Amino acid sequence: MAEEPNPNHQEIIKLEGTAQDESKLTQIGRVDAENFHLNAQQVQFLVQLERSTKVESPGVLKAGNPGKSLAYWQGRKTEYAQIQQWLTDNNTFLIGIEGIGGTGKSTLATKIYDEIADFPKRFWADVSNGASFSDLAREVLTKFGFQVPEQEAQLVEALVNCLRSGQFLLIIDNLESLLQPDRQWGSLFYGDFFKAWMEFGGNSKVLFTTRERPELPQILNWLPLKGLQVDEGVALLTALGIRGDLAEFVELVDGHPLLLKLVAGLLLDRYSQDPDLSRLADLGLGNLRQLLTDPKVIGQHRLENVGIVLVLDASFAKLSELQKALLQNISVYRGAVDSAAAVAVLPGNSEPEIEGELRNIVKRSLLVEQLNGKRRFEFQPVVLEYVRYKAGDQSEAHQRAIDYYSSNLKQEPWQTKDDIREYLQIFYHWFQLENYDSAFGILIACNDFLSLRGCYTDIVYLCRQLIEGWEKTAERENRNYLFSLNFLGNAYQFLGVYKQAIKYLQHSLEIARNIGDSYVEAVSLGFLGVTYNFLGQYQQAIEFYWQSIKIAREIGDRNVQGTSLNNLAVVYEFLGQYQQAIDIHQQSIKIARELSDRNGEGNFLNNLGRVYNCLGEYQRAIEYHQQSLDIQREIGNRNGETNSLGGLGSAYNYLGQYQQAIECHQQSLDIQREIGNRNGEANSLDSLGNAYNSLGQYQQAVGFYQQSLDIAREIGYRYGEGNSLRNLGNAYRALGEYQRAIEFYQQSLEIQREIHDRNGEGISLGYLGIAYNCLEQYQQAVEFHQQSLEIAREIRDRKGEGVCLGGLALAYNCLEYYQLAIEFCQQWLDIAREISDRNGEANAWYSLGQVLKNINRESDALGAYRNARELYQKMGHDANVQDCNDRIERLSQPQTPVVLRRGFWAWLRRLWRWVRSWFWL
């Protein structure tokens, strides 16, 4: 930067250069050049101070008590009274305190927190380190005694319901840390929470402080916080022991509290016997008045910020070299630090010496000492920005911070997110060093743990940080960058944000193709297949899997090939193409064994067992599930163990061995809870519900389905939420509560349409058809079954197509369109034989027997029931076998003459229809 010559001392001085945000610095003052002390560096920091703050990477929530001293509290009577009034107003739900750094927003909020008596339960959350909404919501729910969702998407609903249920006070400090430069949210779910809270509200109040106004509903109450009144500022300086023309000085700096404290700290440190404001000239602040009254200076920048920069410069200049080094080095940390952490970044000094220096700096108002727990020190945000700016290159300090946290890492197994606190801090420091590969290594170390606990928003934050960092460099061809795109896509997939998932996975695929990285191309294609599988768009999923397999074969990567083959087989299973699924699963198992991949072998065997479950070959299914279980236990894969137990439970359930099924599902559930796999926990609860539903214990089934539904909603598992709602519908249908069943089916249908799950949509439509059939609203039943059939044919789900044809057969049988019913049963039978679906074939014969019996073709009906019985016997369906035996026995007994039977039943049906129509009229 250069200063233009000014021989007349009255010309406009121009300081030109580029600030850190690439904005131009120009024309900031018209003053006598010989007295001009606002240098280029000061101007550059002013620009940085006045720009929007950036979003921090995932950090640690600072919660509990504010820990801020009110020892020198002065004034704010008007502001305090205004907030107190809002807190008692039934129509006020959200209060924002806005002001520039150092105006005392947090102090005012602390005063409210400590003294307002109407809220027996209150919570303080400082999000200055970029804390995720998930961490905030979980902490609040725990403090207020509510059930804590372990994962993301439904935490918004949980927190809103919690706040609506009582009279709580929630204070969120430093909200600007969560905002992007355009004032949009850089952190998922905060915006959703504020919107929902403003919509529903309650007796609780939410208050936040911020330097920047976020995009929020306009109906909240804003308190723009200015400086202290003159008399209040005078009282503060007097309490601090400062003398001189106090009123004039307070008026000069607009009563800015931090500025007043910094000036007082500077005077007290240098002139403890005579801390008079007239001494400011001796401290290099002789031009303070001149700059703070010059319209050109103040026209470009806020008066308070100009004063802060000048006083901070003067204060910093008077520190010892050790104190300067100490402040600059500890500024690399996020949040409060203790003396041990300070020594780690400034070696060669004793811990007692460093702690003493930290306490001396507190007296200068450059640090704040926490009042609760272990003695810790933290920066006021404006001072932190200044010190970091002043420090310049902090690479060495960041590296020492990494070494410090690395020496304090908690070893696995981890139980809570707090156990990986040091890892997240190390990620932050590697990121600040722009060493994105090392930061990615931390992501890899934590990814499985965060995924199992459903902390997908944390994964989103970490991946987005890395992606944004790499995109500022020329390293977009870096493989770790591409994997970060894939990780981000997967996280969005589990959050049900499929559009975003596809966007990032497709981006990774395009780059991989452009640079010729076939391995990443194959991996990205496989992940896209998984996403489209979740969407129920099976043909697209199949295409992506086959492309992945082809590339993996070309480059000889057997691992990717085996994984994609396994996933492809799963799609064929969903489509009812069981023989293809079996053949492909066998290929993936062979590859896993060749690679000695015991984990893959165990997973693939379990999936193969599931296919045999679908085929009705339950004993064979049990063999594969048991082999899988043995492998998972051998290698200690607890998550794989739960999946194998779930497969075994399903097989035993189909066999009617319900107690064994319940034992397997209960063991699976216990492990899921032990390892913190919330997604798996929801699935195990659903499976337990299915077992109790099969036992006829419908209320217990409802209890398990409801628990599963709650978890699915908590973690944003939309696919699972739709399944749980559908299962609840099945339970209530079994209880004869058909209208309630329909409500659950409709909710399930809405979700499946929302997430574009075509398979789930078709199944829910089919169950709606069954429910309306139970209500004897046969025409509506036919319409729903027909819609379900169209979807099954569209996605080429042969098994689903057969089931839909069976539903239509049932409805037309009730409508007495017997020939149509027979045709649909025959089509179902043909499909079941085609895909080797033994269970479907048995059910088709059974349904055909019912229709044939209704039209008095007893001989044909007997044949159909006998065929069904034979198949049920092979599958071990004892209850169904007994049902067939009962029907065969009744049909084999001497019959009433056909004409009489036909006439009687026809008359009875006509009578019932007449009574029903008369009743509804």
Side-chain angles (χ1 to χ4, degrees), residues 54 296 623 802:
K54 66 177 182 178
K296 288 290 184 179
E623 291 173 12

Side-chain angles (χ1 to χ4, degrees), residues 292 512 635 840 870 884:
L292 295 185
I635 64 177
E870 181 182 350
C884 288

Side-chain angles (χ1 to χ4, degrees), residues 725-796:
L725 286 164
R726 189 169 63 227
N727 285 335
L728 277 166
N730 288 341
Y732 281 109
R733 178 167 56 83
L735 286 166
E737 298 185 37
Y738 303 125
Q739 199 56 52
R740 196 166 184 186
I742 287 170
E743 291 171 8
F744 281 113
Y745 291 144
Q746 287 287 7
Q747 290 177 55
S748 175
L749 182 63
E750 288 171 11
I751 289 172
Q752 280 138 0
R753 284 175 171 166
E754 177 189 326
I755 66 175
H756 308 292
D757 176 7
R758 295 291 279 163
N759 181 53
E761 181 182 353
I763 294 171
S764 293
L765 285 165
Y767 278 123
L768 276 166
I770 293 171
Y772 279 107
N773 207 73
C774 294
L775 286 171
E776 299 184 5
Q777 298 179 30
Y778 303 124
Q779 197 54 52
Q780 284 177 278
V782 167
E783 290 173 8
F784 281 116
H785 284 308
Q786 193 62 52
Q787 291 178 57
S788 179
L789 178 62
E790 289 170 6
I791 291 174
R793 285 174 172 166
E794 174 194 326
I795 65 176
R796 301 180 190 176

Side-chain angles (χ1 to χ4, degrees), residues 35 95 118 255 464 507 512 559 566 572 611 668 724 849:
N35 295 321
I95 302 167
D118 296 335
R464 280 172 54 179
H507 187 39
N559 190 29
N566 173 70
Y572 282 123
V611 179
S668 177
S724 297

Side-chain angles (χ1 to χ4, degrees), residues 651-696:
Y652 284 124
N653 192 56
Y654 286 128
L655 283 170
Q657 299 177 27
Y658 302 124
Q659 286 307 318
Q660 284 175 281
I662 288 169
E663 288 173 13
C664 288
H665 290 313
Q666 188 62 56
Q667 288 179 57
S668 177
L669 178 63
D670 292 342
I671 296 172
Q672 302 283 20
R673 286 172 170 167
E674 177 188 327
I675 65 176
N677 187 348
R678 298 287 280 167
N679 189 316
E681 183 180 352
N683 292 336
S684 293
L685 286 163
D686 250 338
S687 296
L688 274 169
N690 289 339
Y692 281 103
N693 201 53
S694 299
L695 271 172

Side-chain angles (χ1 to χ4, degrees), residues 61 63-64 123 134-144 148:
L61 178 72
F123 189 90
S134 303
D135 288 346
L136 170 69
R138 289 170 187 152
E139 291 272 6
V140 175
L141 291 167
T142 299
K143 176 71 179 291
F144 293 161
V148 181

Side-chain angles (χ1 to χ4, degrees), residues 38-49:
L38 196 61
N39 59 42
Q41 191 178 45
Q42 290 171 331
V43 175
Q44 192 170 18
F45 177 65
L46 266 174
V47 173
Q48 180 173 321
L49 183 62

